[in-house]
């Protein structure tokens, strides 16, 4: 057993003799481990191609491509206005667990270029699988949507208390007739300051009047 005396006259001697081992909290750097299904997606990103900037209502969004120039993923950098957004995107995907069809989502540090390639300063954010052959649900009448899809999205939104569910935050695929939820950065609001901002556009859909079976 090691006993340390507290007599002030011996403190300097103790420091020299014991050469105190200092235990310090390390500076935590984000170690991003995306879900396994997203790892392969990240590996396919063409790191020599400058990402396409897409103007979005909530900030800048980037479209990423693979080495064959195919649209691959959507990257949303962390924004000062809502630093929780990337984590909310990941949490919504994990909680959905494939039920409502939230596209595969992970968290990454991605270099965003100022020049001709994405070899510039790294930005932290969410990366989400790009869904080809889909369009904004806002471009369609609500009558084409599947009842079960609307119900599944409704259940998801209530679970995560989505504050930004409008038709522009859903995608519709004419080929499969599926309705897919996206954009979950404004979920999990503060119970004291943000709960009143919750918005569920699907409440106005005729499918929402049907009996819930999902």
């Amino acid at each position: 057993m090691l006993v340390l005396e507290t007599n002030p006259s011996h403190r300097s001697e103790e420091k020299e003799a014991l050469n105190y081992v200092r235990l310090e909290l390390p500076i935590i750097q984000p170690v991003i481990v995306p879900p396994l299904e997203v790892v392969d997606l990240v590996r396919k990103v063409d790191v020599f191609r400058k990402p396409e900037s897409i103007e979005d209502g909530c900030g800048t969004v980037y479209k990423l491509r693979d080495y064959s120039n195919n649209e691959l993923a959507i990257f949303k950098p962390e924004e000062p206005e809502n630093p929780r957004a990337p984590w909310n995107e990941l949490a919504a995907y994990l909680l959905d667990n494939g039920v409502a069809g939230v596209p595969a989502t992970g968290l990454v540090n991605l270099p965003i270029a100022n020049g001709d390639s994405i070899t510039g300063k790294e930005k932290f954010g969410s990366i989400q699988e790009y869904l080809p052959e889909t369009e904004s649900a806002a471009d369609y009448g609500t009558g084409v949507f599947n009842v079960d899809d609307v119900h599944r999205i409704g259940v998801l939104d209530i679970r995560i208390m989505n504050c930004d569910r409008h038709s522009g935050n859903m995608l519709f695929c004419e080929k499969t007739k599926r309705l897919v939820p996206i954009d979950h950065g404004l979920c999990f609001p503060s119970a004291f300051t943000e709960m009143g901002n919750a918005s569920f556009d699907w409440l106005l859909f005729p499918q929402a009047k049907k009996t819930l079976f999902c």
Side-chain angles (χ1 to χ4, degrees):
M1 180 176 65
L2 178 64
V3 178
L4 297 180
E5 297 180 4
T6 58
N7 190 327
S9 64
H10 297 298
R11 286 180 181 173
S12 60
E13 296 177 2
E14 291 170 355
K15 288 182 180 179
E16 292 179 2
L18 297 175
N19 191 18
Y20 282 131
V21 177
R22 299 179 62 192
L23 298 179
E24 297 181 346
L25 290 175
I27 299 175
I28 304 298
Q29 300 293 339
V31 179
I32 308 306
V33 183
L36 292 178
E37 57 269 29
V38 182
V39 173
D40 187 52
L41 183 73
V42 174
R43 289 173 177 169
K44 293 178 181 178
V45 174
D46 185 351
V47 296
F48 298 104
R49 184 187 302 275
K50 184 178 180 180
E52 304 167 36
S53 177
I54 305 172
E55 290 304 320
D56 182 67
C58 297
T60 303
V61 175
Y62 294 96
K63 182 185 292 184
L64 308 178
R65 294 178 179 268
D66 63 16
Y67 292 97
S68 298
N69 199 31
N70 298 312
E71 296 167 317
L72 180 69
I74 298 296
F75 176 68
K76 297 181 180 181
E78 181 182 50
E79 299 284 352
E81 296 79 9
N82 185 17
R84 303 194 317 251
W87 303 96
N88 289 349
E89 295 278 4
L90 175 62
Y93 169 63
L94 296 176
L95 287 173
D96 177 47
N97 197 28
V99 176
V102 176
T105 306
L107 301 178
V108 294
N109 282 313
L110 187 71
I112 299 295
N114 294 322
D116 297 327
S117 63
I118 56 172
T119 55
K121 184 178 180 180
E122 285 190 346
K123 289 189 177 183
F124 168 72
S126 63
I127 186 170
Q128 188 170 81
E129 176 188 8
Y130 177 82
L131 300 181
E133 300 182 347
T134 59
E135 300 290 341
S136 171
D139 296 334
Y140 295 86
T142 59
V144 302
F145 303 148
N146 183 281
V147 173
D148 288 342
D149 287 344
V150 173
H151 287 180
R152 292 185 184 110
I153 292 174
V155 170
L156 172 67
D157 284 347
I158 292 172
R159 292 178 65 202
I160 63 179
M161 194 49 64
N162 191 354
C163 291
D164 192 34
R165 177 65 72 211
H166 53 79
S167 296
N169 283 347
M170 292 180 280
L171 298 176
F172 181 71
C173 179
E174 286 195 11
K175 185 176 180 179
T176 63
K177 306 302 181 185
R178 288 299 308 274
L179 187 65
V180 179
I182 59 171
D183 291 344
H184 300 101
L186 295 178
C187 300
F188 310 104
S190 166
F192 299 100
T193 61
E194 301 171 332
M195 287 290 285
N197 297 328
S199 174
F200 306 131
D201 271 14
W202 44 261
L203 282 174
L204 303 177
F205 294 180
Q207 295 87 341
K209 312 303 179 184
K210 304 289 185 179
T211 302
L212 179 66
F213 289 109
C214 65

